[in-house]
Amino acid sequence: LLEFNFQSAPPSNRSSREEQLLLERKRLTTWGITSYELHPQSGKIVFPAASTLYQCVDNPHRNGPLFPAELRTGTDGAKLTPLICPSNPDLIAYVSNCDIWVSHETSGTSERLTYSHRGGRSLAEDPLSSGTPSYVIQEEFSRYQGCWWQPQSKDGLYRLLYEEVDDSEVKVYTFPSSTSLFNCDVEQYRFPRAGSPNSKSNLKLIELTVNENEVVRSRILELQ
């Protein structure tokens, strides 16, 4: 289906930390394209690869393989779990740096929708994330998606339901870095050991509108 020379893995053959953790949860040892999102009506295909997102359109009148184009995004971090809006395939939500972003293909813009993660150096001081399920949900229930588009939009508003995870009570463990050239570097991970507190989750709803030039976030509602 794709051109044989498409680069689906990072040049260094090493994924980002976020991608590595997601592959571990899924019990995947393969490189390259491991998941994809399809919009049946338009034929649009979006998938994560090489720490970014790619898209292509499967046109029934087209002959030959497809060569995906990189999706324009507004963040430097790894882009994970893309989700095409069912009622508008130009809108693609994804998770990057523990927050939810949305890309608008028509205008070529990308908008950050949530501000749960502050990007601090200390994991203990930055416990919130949006759009990614907690460790227990991924490990025990095999759910890796933490946001969902409303199936239809009839009032001009697009709605995105998402899960905000609070890891503030989950213990942080420190290990020597497996990728560093210096022995003094360390990596931090949260892990809910048996008998210790788990993550807490809240469901929230984003309402947004779209014009020719940008995506406009209207409001965020917290669901009780």
Side-chain angles (χ1 to χ4, degrees):
L1 294 178
L2 301 181
E3 288 281 359
F4 72 93
N5 59 344
F6 172 69
Q7 182 70 36
S8 61
S12 62
N13 284 329
R14 188 164 188 87
S15 300
S16 66
R17 172 176 167 173
E18 293 84 356
E19 290 172 301
Q20 291 178 37
L21 292 176
L22 183 59
L23 291 175
E24 288 180 10
R25 304 286 184 271
K26 292 182 175 182
R27 305 295 191 269
L28 292 176
T29 58
T30 57
W31 297 92
I33 302 172
T34 59
S35 63
Y36 67 91
E37 176 80 2
L38 170 66
H39 187 261
Q41 291 78 14
S42 66
K44 176 176 285 189
I45 302 171
V46 178
F47 58 89
S51 298
T52 190
L53 299 178
Y54 291 89
Q55 64 176 350
C56 56
V57 177
D58 185 13
N59 189 326
H61 304 291
R62 175 189 174 94
N63 295 322
L66 303 172
F67 194 87
E70 185 174 351
L71 189 69
R72 285 173 288 186
T73 58
T75 173
D76 294 331
K79 292 82 176 173
L80 305 174
T81 58
L83 196 63
I84 303 174
C85 178
S87 54
N88 186 349
D90 286 339
L91 292 174
I92 302 171
Y94 59 93
V95 176
S96 182
N97 295 324
C98 300
D99 271 305
I100 300 173
W101 294 66
V102 64
S103 175
H104 184 223
E105 183 180 2
T106 302
S107 63
T109 61
S110 190
E111 180 74 19
R112 183 177 179 180
L113 297 181
T114 64
Y115 289 83
S116 302
H117 202 66
R118 294 175 296 180
R121 295 187 61 183
S122 172
L123 190 63
E125 297 175 355
D126 211 352
L128 298 181
S129 63
S130 291
T132 301
S134 66
Y135 171 87
V136 171
I137 294 298
Q138 295 185 54
E139 187 73 15
E140 302 297 335
F141 296 93
S142 300
R143 176 167 67 82
Y144 312 103
Q145 180 178 317
C147 57
W148 304 267
W149 284 107
Q150 181 184 23
Q152 294 182 340
S153 174
K154 298 181 180 180
D155 56 1
L157 285 176
Y158 299 98
R159 296 175 177 88
L160 188 70
L161 178 70
Y162 72 95
E163 180 180 6
E164 183 183 72
V165 175
D166 183 354
D167 283 328
S168 57
E169 296 184 13
V170 180
K171 188 173 181 180
V172 177
Y173 293 88
T174 302
F175 300 93
S177 175
S178 60
T179 60
S180 174
L181 299 177
F182 305 98
N183 295 330
C184 59
D185 291 340
V186 296
E187 294 180 351
Q188 292 183 322
Y189 297 91
R190 292 185 184 274
F191 182 73
R193 297 183 61 182
S196 64
N198 287 321
S199 306
K200 297 179 180 179
S201 296
N202 291 318
L203 288 178
K204 296 186 177 183
L205 184 71
I206 302 174
E207 292 184 343
L208 54 94
T209 59
V210 176
N211 57 39
E212 294 181 356
N213 300 316
E214 61 181 347
V215 174
V216 180
R217 187 186 67 176
S218 299
R219 58 177 177 170
I220 294 181
L221 305 175
E222 186 162 354
L223 306 181
Q224 301 294 335

